[in-house]
């Protein structure tokens, strides 16, 4: 996973003069915020950045952030594509719960829970059902023209009930070495979840940036009417995007349930859709669609995960993370709002239009809040 | 011949157009009757007025919250913060009354003020900075829920004598029936909302705003002020709903009303309010809440079904009504 290293490289030279081109880079502010958060943590716990090898595995807070952040990165990845088409997918949290429930239910009732074939069938079932969920969302949005927020709301409401139905309202525990690998295993000294997330991010960015697919998605999000007039088949694209989002959420669900070796229909992936939206917005993808940044989303997800870790380190009740998240949402949205920037530049006309100070406030304000 | 056919087709067409917006409401009313009939035929003791009143007693707070939500949805917006706001008011009430010894008469206006103020603030941000309502109220949802946890992560139970006395009060009706004071309050709010929406200038502006915002602006309607007031109404309703829930539960807890925003939206949609705004009935919302409550009652009477079926059925109903809306929304646009 490269993003944290990027952070160090892009974030630290910030105070250097003449770095205007650097600060203009779309990933600069997310990276700077992440770097500031990490540095803040170093001030709190001195060996925060230390990574050591133990039993042939890498250990350390940074690795933890990556491992626990992997599901969020995946969900946000799918969400980014959906938001790029001017949509939103509220059903991902339920999909996370359903996927975990399906896989664990299958493994728990199988003859030999440890065998690879059982685990592969379990994963295939979960991904298949997730694809169907995505198809349903896509059908509602693309074919029937229902607003995305409403179309996905249906499964957000019903999905958790379905997950409970699958697990019969219980928390299903599984003991399967092969299944444990997805969320809790290690490969090449790194957590397998991190490698899996990195691979999916890499594949998605290759497919969207090396082919015309990304541009087509942006075109549909930017101006649906114009894209229809130039002959882009929006419906197929939209359905694909919702399927990808649901499948990403399902993989995240597998990771979460595998990491704790159990499926909890009620709490798995609770509020992850909101975290994912937050990650996407922090990453610089506007909710109005038409443009997306996968790198920004990954940084955004890591920022949220680091924020949660910081809260834990501080010993503040972890539930208060919500307050910090709310402040971040408000600040990021204000910065993105052109009306807000217009007001800001009007009030300080002499200095001219300068986008820099506003996002700087994000980091500054948050650093103030922490200690 | 063709003119005769035409003269017949025209009134038919006009009938369908005129009633298109009311059709979901009729479907809901029919659904309610069918559910009650099926319940009465299948379960002993189901066929009584008290069962229906119990639905209201158990869902009075949801009705109040859903009424606020209806205002917001009518303008074409959405308020995701209501569930958290309900939790925050239960928490605030419990904290003020129980841990700070404030009299209830002082705590109630404070809680209502916090709700209305929070709503107005969100409305102002939505209007002034042109940010989508969905994301602003999402932030509000995080903030309110987080504030609950800042007050306490534990449940605070209420032992204050005034509060418990009000909670145990029964409003007796003829025929040995009874309701809780919360039901009376909820019905008063419903009546107020009905009058405001259908018989005042503000109500008309709300509908106009949801129909077409730029037209409303060109007509010289106070778009910004109306938006802010609408979100303030929703905040006030959720604070009031939270107070009613406090009396119902006799405790404040940060995990109260998780997902209530979805129930409120579902109630409005099932009650025939168009999610794109501009069309809907607040009385329909009351029907929607009753449908949701009746689903719970049927499931509890059935006994073999678990509570999560409630969510699945609500989701299914939401699906059907969204499709219905799409069908008739489309017809409306074609017109």
């Amino acid at each position: 996973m490269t993003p944290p290293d990027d952070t160090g490289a892009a974030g630290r030279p910030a105070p250097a003069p003449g770095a205007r081109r650097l600060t203009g880079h779309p990933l600069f502010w997310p990276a700077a915020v992440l770097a500031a958060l990490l540095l803040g943590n170093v001030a709190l716990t001195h060996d925060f950045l230390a990574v050591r090898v133990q039993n042939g595995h890498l250990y350390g807070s940074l690795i933890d952030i990556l491992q626990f952040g992997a599901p969020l990165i995946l969900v946000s990845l799918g969400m980014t594509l959906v938001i790029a088409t001017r949509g939103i997918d509220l059903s991902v949290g339920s999909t996370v719960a359903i996927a975990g429930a399906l896989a664990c239910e299958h493994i728990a009732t199988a003859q030999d829970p440890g065998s690879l074939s059982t685990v592969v069938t379990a994963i295939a079932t979960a991904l298949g059902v997730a694809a169907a969920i995505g198809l349903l969302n896509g059908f509602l949005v693309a074919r029937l023209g229902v607003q995305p927020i409403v179309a996905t709301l249906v499964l957000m409401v019903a999905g958790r009930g379905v997950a409970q139905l699958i697990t019969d309202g219980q928390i299903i525990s599984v003991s399967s070495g092969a299944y444990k690998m997805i969320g809790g295993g290690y490969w090449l000294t790194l957590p397998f979840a991190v490698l899996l997330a990195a691979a999916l991010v890499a594949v998605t960015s290759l497919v969207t940036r090396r082919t015309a697919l990304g541009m087509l998605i942006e075109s549909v999000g930017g101006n649906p009417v114009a894209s229809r007039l130039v002959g882009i088949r929006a419906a197929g694209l939209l359905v694909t995007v919702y399927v990808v989002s649901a499948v990403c959420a399902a993989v995240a669900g597998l990771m979460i349930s595998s990491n704790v070796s159990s499926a909890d229909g009620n709490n798995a992936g609770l509020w992850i859709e909101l975290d994912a939206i937050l990650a996407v917005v922090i990453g610089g993808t506007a909710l109005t669609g038409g443009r997306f940044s996968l790198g920004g989303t990954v940084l955004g997800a890591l920022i949220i995960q680091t924020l949660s870790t910081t809260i834990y380190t501080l010993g503040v009740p972890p539930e208060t993370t919500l307050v910090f998240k709310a402040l971040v949402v408000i600040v990021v949205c204000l910065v993105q709002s052109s009306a807000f920037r217009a007001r800001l530049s009007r009030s300080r006309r002499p200095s001219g239009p300068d986008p820099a100070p506003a996002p700087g406030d994000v980091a500054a304000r948050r650093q103030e809040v922490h200690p | 011949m063709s003119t005769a056919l035409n003269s017949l087709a025209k009134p038919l067409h006009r009938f369908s157009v005129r009633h298109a917006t009311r059709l979901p409401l009729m479907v809901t009313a029919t659904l309610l009757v069918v559910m009650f009939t099926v319940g009465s035929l299948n379960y002993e003791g189901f066929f009584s007025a008290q069962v229906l009143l119990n639905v209201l007693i158990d869902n009075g707070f949801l009705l109040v919250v859903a009424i606020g939500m209806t205002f917001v949805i009518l303008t074409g917006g959405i308020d995701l913060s209501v569930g958290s706001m309900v939790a925050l008011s239960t928490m605030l009430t419990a904290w003020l009354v129980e841990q700070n010894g404030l009299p209830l008469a002082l705590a109630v206006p404070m809680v209502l003020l916090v709700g209305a103020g929070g709503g107005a603030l969100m409305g102002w941000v939505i209007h002034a900075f042109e940010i989508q309502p969905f994301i602003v109220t999402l932030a509000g949802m995080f903030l309110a829920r987080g504030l609950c946890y800042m007050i306490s992560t534990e449940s605070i139970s209420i032992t204050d004598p005034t509060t418990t006395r009000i909670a145990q009060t029964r409003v007796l009706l003829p025929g040995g029936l009874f309701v809780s004071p919360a039901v009376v309050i909820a019905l008063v709010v419903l009546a107020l909302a009905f009058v405001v929406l259908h018989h005042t200038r503000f109500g008309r502006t709300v509908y106009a705003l949801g129909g077409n915002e730029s037209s409303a602006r060109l007509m010289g309607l106070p778009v910004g002020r109306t938006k802010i007031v609408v979100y303030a109404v929703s905040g006030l309703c959720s604070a009031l709903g939270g107070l009613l829930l406090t009396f119902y539960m006799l405790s404040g807890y940060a995990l109260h009303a998780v997902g209530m925003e979805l129930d409120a939206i579902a109630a409005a949609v099932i009650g025939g309010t168009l999610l794109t705004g501009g069309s809907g009935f607040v009385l329909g919302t009351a029907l929607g809440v009753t449908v949701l409550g009746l689903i719970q009652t049927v499931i509890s009477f059935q006994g073999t079904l678990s509570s999560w079926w409630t969510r699945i059925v609500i989701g299914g109903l939401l699906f059907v009504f969204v499709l219905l809306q799409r069908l008739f929304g489309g017809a409306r646009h074609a017109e």
Side-chain angles (χ1 to χ4, degrees):
Chain A
M1 219 57 227
T2 44
D5 304 330
D6 281 351
T7 309
R12 259 162 235 155
R20 195 139 276 248
R21 242 188 61 211
L22 191 65
T23 57
H25 192 276
L27 290 186
F28 174 78
W29 285 111
V33 170
L34 182 55
L37 264 180
L38 290 175
L39 286 177
N41 270 302
V42 172
L44 287 169
T45 23
H46 294 288
D47 56 348
F48 186 79
L49 294 177
V51 173
R52 60 185 189 282
V53 181
Q54 204 173 312
N55 302 333
H57 303 330
L58 285 176
Y59 276 99
S61 302
L62 283 183
I63 305 293
D64 281 349
I65 290 176
L66 285 177
Q67 182 168 6
F68 293 127
L72 180 58
I73 290 175
L74 282 180
V75 174
S76 316
L77 184 71
M79 188 69 87
T80 311
L81 297 181
V82 172
I83 289 180
T85 65
R86 221 181 246 195
I88 198 109
D89 189 351
L90 294 181
S91 69
V92 286
S94 297
T95 313
V96 163
I98 291 175
L102 274 175
C104 288
E105 174 69 18
H106 182 86
I107 292 172
T109 53
Q111 297 283 336
D112 47 345
S115 85
L116 195 64
S117 66
T118 311
V119 173
V120 169
T121 345
I123 294 172
T125 318
L127 295 186
V129 170
I133 289 174
L135 275 178
L136 178 67
N137 285 336
F139 173 75
L140 282 173
V141 173
R143 293 283 169 202
L144 296 182
V146 178
Q147 295 158 282
I149 184 170
V150 179
T152 53
L153 185 71
V154 171
L155 271 169
M156 183 186 185
V157 175
R160 245 166 234 290
V162 173
Q164 294 267 44
L165 189 67
I166 295 166
T167 62
D168 209 19
Q170 311 286 315
I171 295 178
I172 298 184
S173 302
V174 291
S175 55
S176 162
Y179 189 61
K180 182 81 188 167
M181 181 74 183
I182 306 172
Y186 284 82
W187 194 50
L188 300 174
T189 76
L190 273 170
F192 186 72
V194 176
L195 295 171
L196 190 57
L200 281 173
V201 170
V203 167
T204 314
S205 57
L206 269 180
V207 170
T208 51
R209 289 308 180 203
R210 293 290 161 197
T211 69
L213 190 65
M215 196 190 65
L216 294 181
I217 288 174
E218 290 186 336
S219 151
V220 170
N223 191 334
V225 179
S227 7
R228 186 166 51 81
L229 291 179
V230 296
I232 296 173
R233 296 190 180 190
L237 268 178
L238 283 177
V239 173
T240 315
V241 160
Y242 282 93
V243 171
V244 168
S245 170
V247 169
C248 281
V251 177
L254 294 177
M255 263 181 202
I256 291 172
S257 67
S258 146
N259 191 27
V260 293
S261 289
S262 65
D264 180 353
N266 211 16
N267 293 315
L270 196 61
W271 291 344
I272 205 171
E273 59 278 335
L274 306 177
D275 278 354
I277 295 166
L278 185 53
V280 173
V281 174
I282 291 178
T285 302
L287 278 168
T288 41
R291 206 196 276 176
F292 69 93
S293 157
L294 292 179
T297 297
V298 172
L299 283 179
L302 287 173
I303 287 175
I304 293 173
Q305 192 57 44
T306 314
L307 192 64
S308 307
T309 312
T310 313
I311 303 272
Y312 275 107
T313 327
L314 282 174
V316 180
E319 291 87 356
T320 46
T321 335
L322 291 171
V323 173
F324 296 104
K325 281 181 189 166
L327 294 178
V328 176
V329 178
I330 293 165
V331 172
V332 169
C333 283
L334 284 182
V335 169
Q336 279 192 3
S337 142
S338 51
F340 179 75
R341 277 189 301 213
R343 279 191 181 204
L344 209 67
S345 62
R346 223 182 301 143
S347 65
R348 50 171 85 172
R349 177 145 293 170
S351 65
D354 187 354
D361 284 349
V362 184
R365 237 176 259 178
R366 261 191 310 157
Q367 284 316 98
E368 271 168 33
V369 170
H370 278 291
Chain B
M1 188 68 188
S2 70
T3 47
L5 209 68
N6 255 344
S7 63
L8 193 75
K10 225 169 189 176
L12 258 180
H13 181 65
R14 200 176 298 143
F15 171 85
S16 75
V17 167
R18 191 184 298 158
H19 293 275
T21 52
R22 269 178 223 160
L23 205 109
L25 198 63
M26 295 176 196
V27 174
T28 311
T30 317
L31 189 70
L32 204 58
V33 172
V34 168
M35 276 171 67
F36 194 64
T37 316
V38 170
S40 308
L41 290 179
N42 282 335
Y43 313 113
E44 207 164 314
F46 192 94
F47 184 73
S48 77
Q50 190 60 48
V51 167
L52 269 181
L53 291 179
N54 284 344
V55 168
L56 281 180
I57 292 173
D58 294 336
N59 292 288
F61 47 90
L62 177 61
L63 177 56
V64 174
V65 173
I67 289 169
M69 183 67 87
T70 309
F71 273 83
V72 174
I73 294 181
L74 280 176
T75 65
I78 201 144
D79 188 350
L80 294 181
S81 72
V82 292
S84 305
M85 199 62 103
V86 166
L88 182 60
S89 23
T90 68
M91 207 65 191
L92 263 181
T93 319
W95 181 66
L96 288 173
V97 171
E98 208 54 35
Q99 302 196 333
N100 294 328
L102 223 64
L104 193 66
L106 236 100
V108 167
M110 279 171 80
V111 170
L112 292 179
L113 204 67
V114 168
L121 193 68
M122 288 191 293
W124 176 71
V125 172
I126 290 166
H127 167 67
F129 303 119
E130 291 156 26
I131 306 177
Q132 288 170 330
F134 151 70
I135 197 85
V136 175
T137 53
L138 181 71
M141 170 184 180
F142 276 141
L143 193 65
R145 196 66 77 174
L147 287 175
C148 287
Y149 285 116
M150 280 198 154
I151 294 174
S152 166
T153 50
E154 306 286 320
S155 164
I156 307 175
S157 51
I158 297 177
T159 51
D160 172 64
T162 327
T163 319
T164 44
R165 205 175 54 239
I166 296 176
Q168 284 155 0
T169 309
R170 284 179 169 192
V171 180
L172 295 174
L173 299 176
L177 304 170
F178 66 90
V179 291
S180 62
V183 175
V184 178
I185 295 175
L187 292 178
V188 168
V189 172
L190 182 67
L192 270 179
F194 179 79
V195 170
V196 167
L197 277 176
H198 296 291
H199 298 284
T200 64
R201 186 183 298 178
F202 172 73
R204 238 176 311 148
T205 314
V206 168
Y207 278 95
L209 202 59
N212 190 332
E213 195 177 323
S214 29
S215 303
R217 186 170 287 129
L218 289 174
M219 277 195 283
L221 295 175
V223 169
R225 203 178 64 207
T226 308
K227 252 191 205 176
I228 295 172
V229 173
V230 157
Y231 284 92
V233 165
S234 175
L236 184 67
C237 281
S238 1
L240 183 59
L243 282 170
L244 298 185
L245 186 65
T246 316
F247 289 123
Y248 184 77
M249 297 271 196
L250 274 180
S251 69
Y253 189 28
L255 278 177
H256 276 330
V258 168
M260 192 186 263
E261 55 281 341
L262 302 177
D263 288 340
I265 295 169
V269 171
I270 292 172
T273 300
L274 216 56
L275 270 163
T276 39
S279 164
F281 315 91
V282 73
L283 293 181
T285 304
L287 278 189
V289 170
T290 320
V291 167
L292 297 190
L294 214 52
I295 292 172
Q296 281 169 346
T297 312
V298 168
I299 284 171
S300 68
F301 263 86
Q302 175 67 27
T304 54
L305 288 175
S306 308
S307 59
W308 51 81
W309 275 103
T310 318
R311 304 222 61 80
I312 298 177
V313 176
I314 293 176
L317 272 184
L318 201 55
F319 180 76
V320 170
F321 277 84
V322 163
L323 287 186
L324 263 182
Q325 281 196 2
R326 197 51 219 158
L327 236 59
F328 292 102
R332 216 165 57 105
H333 284 300
E335 173 70 5

